[in-house]
Amino acid sequence: MMEIIHQSRIDRELESLMERIYPPRVCIDNDSREECTVVKVDSANKDGILLEMVQVLTDLDLVISKSFISSDGGWFMDVFHVTDSFGNKLIDESLMLYIQKALCASRRGEISREKLGNSWKEEERVWRKKTAVELTGTDGPGLLSEISAVLVELGFKATSATAWTHNDRAACIIHVEDDSTSGPIDDPIRLAHVERHLECVLEARGEKRSVRLTTLAAGRTHTERRLHQLMYADRDYERCRACEAECGGEHKKECDGTHVWIGRCEEKGYWGVNVRSRDRPKLLFDTLCVLTDMNYVVFHAAIRSAGSMAHQEYFVRHKASSTLLRESERQKLTLCLIAAIERRVSHGLRIDINTENRVGLMRELTRVFRENGLWISRVEIGTRGDKAEGSFYVTDSAGGEVNPKIVELVRQQAGGSIVAVHRSPCRMSTASSSSSTREHKSGIEAVRKFSLGSMLWSQLERLSDSFGSIRSSYLAYSE
């Protein structure tokens, strides 16, 4: 045991030393491409660095249309082609300066101290005051409504909620606080009490369920990555099927399903992972989440969008073994990649809300959906000050399109909380999604979700590294 701890400490010190000797370099190039901004990163490699950087970009609601990755030999080099959510190049100087700093993992603490000051400390303090409720169970109409009702009855106030459904399974993370104190719930007896009540709700729908209450702390896992982990632990991937099997053993041009091919690269000892699927925002983040959490290391990768489709190619190895995977492991990785991509895909309508936050708001809205026969397939809702903002993705009880008359009835019963209704963009390409977003820009601006995109600083110094070596390294590859 002592030897393991000692080795871990040395690894962390060595990693920190490498960052100090070879600090990360980030360059944002708006000149080489007409259609996008090119973000280039050059850094000493470390465990999880690729996912961290993609997470920074996706948290800013940026769309990654192309990326070239290489991390062999202890060095990490990456090129991202990005646009904003409307398909435009990045022109906001403060946003670009923030990206330059945020992508330098060793300098993130410096950003907080220099620029955020008390505001950052306040945000961290507020997050620490929350308790997170994590649930997985059998999906079904009215599930979120029943969960919300239990929380209100037990004196909990929801401050944010994110929920996904996939293959008849549901995973949900709700951040709550004590209604009377606006603080975390520290009483273990009370925590056990609410856990039992929530388990009863989930148990009534199926035997397989999980409920966990935790107090948030610094360094918490990213919410959407945590949802991937919850659904993976719930084994939602077991009902996924490889699309090529449905296509008669070969890929058909007109098929827009998710295809995964995994082959051996004998000379280098890699597994070559090729993924083809519908393009959408956060696709790269979702794929990297499952690779990282399944302990696969990405050594090289090329990602690109072509029309409505996205192509991802990875060369990976497993951390625990230098040998190539067995057939059972290859099949499991295939299904897990398909599941990770499909979890975020939501059909039906997106209903945006922007209303005054109050105790029981989530219960009221989900009750309206349930009483009108709507099935909630995905939720993203949070609070900004005294306002609650976010989106519900809904279908009818059979998973089909929602009747427009029911939508209007729901709007009336919600008492002005609903500000916009859109057909879900998740089945559209990045380009068509951007076009649709422009058409509804005014509505989206009214319900813009809380993200790092709202925290832009204008006085950070520019970094001057040229990144000419990275550009030349990838020129032949990109062409």
Side-chain angles (χ1 to χ4, degrees):
M1 176 65 71
M2 290 299 295
E3 182 180 354
I4 295 175
I5 295 174
H6 182 63
Q7 183 65 43
S8 176
R9 181 177 62 83
I10 291 178
D11 288 344
R12 289 194 297 271
E13 290 179 353
L14 180 60
E15 182 178 279
S16 175
L17 176 62
M18 288 295 291
E19 287 187 359
R20 293 196 299 271
I21 297 175
Y22 303 105
R25 299 187 300 167
V26 178
C27 176
I28 299 179
D29 176 9
N30 257 330
D31 299 324
S32 61
R33 296 281 179 174
E34 293 184 1
E35 73 283 2
C36 66
T37 298
V38 180
V39 179
K40 307 173 185 179
V41 184
D42 181 7
S43 170
N45 193 23
K46 71 172 186 177
D47 188 34
I49 187 173
L50 177 58
L51 180 57
E52 287 179 12
M53 293 185 173
V54 170
Q55 180 178 306
V56 168
L57 298 176
T58 55
D59 278 347
L60 290 165
D61 296 327
L62 302 181
V63 177
I64 302 172
S65 60
K66 186 180 292 186
S67 181
F68 305 104
I69 299 159
S70 180
S71 62
D72 220 342
W75 199 256
F76 175 86
M77 295 185 291
D78 201 351
V79 177
F80 299 101
H81 291 198
V82 303
T83 63
D84 65 17
S85 58
F86 304 118
N88 302 319
K89 298 173 71 169
L90 310 186
I91 59 174
D92 190 309
E93 290 290 337
S94 58
L95 173 60
M96 291 189 285
L97 289 172
Y98 169 71
I99 292 173
Q100 285 179 314
K101 291 292 187 179
L103 289 178
C104 296
S106 63
R107 301 179 186 178
R108 287 177 191 164
E110 179 182 330
I111 299 173
S112 301
R113 290 192 302 271
E114 289 184 355
K115 294 309 301 175
L116 294 182
N118 292 332
S119 63
W120 177 80
K121 292 177 182 178
E122 176 66 16
E123 181 191 351
E124 185 183 55
R125 184 184 68 80
V126 171
W127 270 104
R128 285 172 180 261
K129 289 173 59 178
K130 301 295 188 299
T131 298
V133 181
E134 299 179 350
L135 309 98
T136 58
T138 304
D139 186 27
L143 175 61
L144 192 57
S145 176
E146 294 178 23
I147 292 171
S148 301
V150 168
L151 293 175
V152 172
E153 290 171 4
L154 296 178
F156 287 68
K157 180 170 66 176
T159 59
S160 67
T162 309
W164 291 351
T165 61
H166 179 241
N167 282 345
D168 296 328
R169 307 301 298 170
C172 181
I173 298 177
I174 305 176
H175 296 148
V176 299
E177 60 187 16
D178 190 306
D179 180 31
S180 60
T181 65
S182 296
I185 297 86
D186 299 321
D187 183 358
I189 297 178
R190 189 178 178 193
L191 290 174
H193 183 63
V194 71
E195 281 188 8
R196 286 195 298 271
H197 276 72
L198 292 174
E199 284 178 350
C200 289
V201 171
L202 296 174
E203 188 174 0
R205 294 171 176 266
E207 294 183 359
K208 190 177 179 183
R209 83 280 183 193
S210 172
V211 178
R212 177 171 176 258
L213 275 72
T214 60
T215 300
L216 294 176
R220 62 189 181 276
T221 302
H222 188 276
T223 298
E224 292 177 348
R225 182 179 179 188
R226 183 62 184 147
L227 281 171
H228 278 298
Q229 293 172 345
L230 289 174
M231 299 207 83
Y232 172 73
D234 198 43
R235 305 176 74 89
D236 71 313
Y237 58 85
E238 291 183 339
R239 294 185 59 188
C240 290
R241 291 182 294 176
C243 192
E244 57 266 28
E246 300 177 14
C247 295
E250 61 181 13
H251 170 64
K252 296 181 180 180
K253 289 184 177 180
E254 66 273 14
C255 177
D256 63 356
T258 302
H259 297 257
V260 177
W261 298 271
I262 300 178
R264 299 174 182 267
C265 300
E266 300 286 354
E267 292 183 2
K268 295 290 186 179
Y270 298 136
W271 274 101
V273 179
N274 193 299
V275 182
R276 182 182 185 276
S277 66
R278 273 278 183 179
D279 191 20
R280 60 167 174 76
K282 299 191 178 183
L283 178 63
L284 178 57
F285 172 81
D286 292 336
T287 307
L288 290 175
C289 278
V290 70
L291 288 173
T292 303
D293 289 332
M294 293 183 71
N295 292 318
Y296 289 96
V297 179
V298 176
F299 287 87
H300 305 281
I303 290 89
R304 71 185 190 279
S305 299
S308 64
M309 304 301 293
H311 302 265
Q312 304 177 70
E313 186 176 11
Y314 301 91
F315 295 92
V316 304
R317 292 188 191 132
H318 197 277
K319 287 182 183 180
S321 175
S322 58
T323 60
L324 296 178
L325 301 178
R326 297 187 297 270
E327 177 60 26
S328 60
E329 294 170 324
R330 186 193 70 83
Q331 183 64 18
K332 180 180 179 181
L333 179 56
T334 297
L335 297 181
C336 287
L337 286 168
I338 293 173
I341 291 170
E342 293 181 347
R343 285 170 190 148
R344 200 189 291 268
V345 175
S346 299
H347 304 279
L349 296 180
R350 187 184 84 232
I351 298 179
D352 296 333
I353 70 161
N354 183 1
T355 187
E356 181 180 352
N357 188 33
R358 58 187 181 275
V359 177
L361 175 63
M362 180 79 71
R363 178 183 60 178
E364 295 172 14
L365 290 172
T366 54
R367 176 183 55 78
V368 169
F369 294 144
R370 182 193 66 206
E371 292 177 350
N372 286 277
L374 300 184
W375 192 320
I376 300 173
S377 62
R378 186 155 67 96
V379 178
E380 297 173 358
I381 186 171
T383 56
R384 185 198 296 270
D386 60 352
K387 291 288 186 180
E389 305 174 352
S391 301
F392 291 88
Y393 295 75
V394 300
T395 67
D396 66 15
S397 58
E401 296 293 329
V402 180
N403 188 317
K405 293 182 179 179
I406 295 180
V407 174
E408 183 57 33
L409 182 60
V410 168
R411 188 195 296 270
Q412 295 173 7
Q413 293 177 350
S417 299
I418 296 176
V419 296
V421 178
H422 310 283
R423 191 168 301 279
S424 173
C426 294
R427 298 297 297 173
M428 299 190 297
S429 68
T430 300
S432 60
S433 177
S434 298
S435 174
S436 175
T437 305
R438 290 192 188 95
E439 294 176 6
H440 302 287
K441 183 175 180 180
S442 60
I444 292 176
E445 287 296 321
V447 294
R448 197 165 39 185
K449 295 176 292 183
F450 175 79
S451 71
L452 292 177
S454 64
M455 301 168 60
L456 307 178
W457 307 288
S458 60
Q459 298 179 358
L460 292 173
E461 70 273 19
R462 288 181 179 274
L463 300 179
S464 58
D465 295 326
S466 64
F467 270 67
S469 58
I470 291 184
R471 183 173 183 177
S472 60
S473 299
Y474 283 106
L475 186 57
Y477 193 26
S478 62
E479 293 176 351

